[in-house]
């Protein structure tokens, strides 16, 4: 494991970034599918309300990403938080989440929802996110096969 401090990571909000560094992060997170095409990444970044990358200084390696989707008025949805495996366990994910929360609040958003992978709630609960048992969030995916039924 590389021994980097989280202070050596700079978080940047951007509307353009190196496609292959994003693909690498998504592949490591297990999110990249064969049918996805790297040419779609630039539009994916631009369509986000805020797209953030974490860059290791001084070598410039992209080591983390996360994004906010929003109506721009009240509600923001934080999703796609990931950190390269060799950088995990060093506080980068927590710092990235704090940066995204501050970014959302600075933009005037006051309701922040987080989309997370199953089993990751303890990580997010450390940052004061709670599972709201009074709300049910449902997911519709066009063309999704019924592999889970």
């Amino acid at each position: 494991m590389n021994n980097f401090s989280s202070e050596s990571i700079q978080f940047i909000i951007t509307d353009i970034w190196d496609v292959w560094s994003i693909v690498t992060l998504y592949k490591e997170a297990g999110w990249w599918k064969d049918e996805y095409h790297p040419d779609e990444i630039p539009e994916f970044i631009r369509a986000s309300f805020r797209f953030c990358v974490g860059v290791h200084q001084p070598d410039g390696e992209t080591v983390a990403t996360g994004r906010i989707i929003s109506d721009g008025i009240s509600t923001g949805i934080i999703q796609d938080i990931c950190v390269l495996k060799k950088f995990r366990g060093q506080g980068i994910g927590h710092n990235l989440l704090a940066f995204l929360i501050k970014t959302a609040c600075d933009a005037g958003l006051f309701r922040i929802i987080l989309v997370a992978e199953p089993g990751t709630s303890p990580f997010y609960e450390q940052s004061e996110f709670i599972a709201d048992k009074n709300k049910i969030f449902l997911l519709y995916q066009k063309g999704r096969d019924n592999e889970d039924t």
Side-chain angles (χ1 to χ4, degrees), residues 4-145:
F4 299 107
S5 71
S6 60
E7 292 80 33
S8 65
I9 306 300
Q10 178 184 13
F11 297 113
I12 301 167
I13 299 294
T14 185
D15 60 359
I16 188 167
W17 202 254
D18 175 64
V19 167
W20 293 107
S21 63
I22 302 304
V23 170
T24 298
L25 279 158
Y26 283 15
K27 281 184 177 182
E28 275 204 13
W31 301 335
W32 193 261
K33 296 183 180 176
D34 290 339
E35 63 266 21
Y36 294 167
H37 199 282
D39 290 346
E40 296 170 347
I41 295 289
E43 182 56 31
F44 176 81
I45 293 171
R46 282 190 299 273
S48 300
F49 181 71
R50 301 287 189 273
F51 191 89
C52 179
V53 291
V55 180
H56 178 251
Q57 303 298 325
D59 65 14
E61 183 178 10
T62 304
V63 301
T65 190
R67 66 188 188 125
I68 303 169
I69 304 203
S70 178
D71 59 10
I73 298 169
S74 64
T75 305
I77 302 169
I78 295 176
Q79 64 182 49
D80 296 350
I81 292 179
C82 58
V83 177
L84 285 178
K85 289 178 184 175
K86 68 182 181 180
F87 287 87
R88 292 181 187 165
Q90 302 171 49
I92 295 168
H94 287 290
N95 289 344
L96 172 58
L97 182 57
F99 182 83
L100 288 169
I101 291 167
K102 182 178 182 333
T103 298
C105 291
D106 288 350
L109 305 178
F110 55 86
R111 184 179 302 112
I112 302 171
I113 299 167
L114 187 120
V115 176
E117 293 290 320
T120 61
S121 60
F123 173 83
Y124 296 106
E125 288 167 353
Q126 292 176 16
S127 297
E128 300 184 30
F129 280 90
I130 58 168
D132 188 340
K133 306 209 183 319
N134 295 318
K135 297 199 183 324
I136 298 172
F137 294 94
L138 304 172
L139 175 66
Y140 171 81
Q141 287 183 277
K142 184 177 178 184
R144 182 174 189 261
D145 58 8

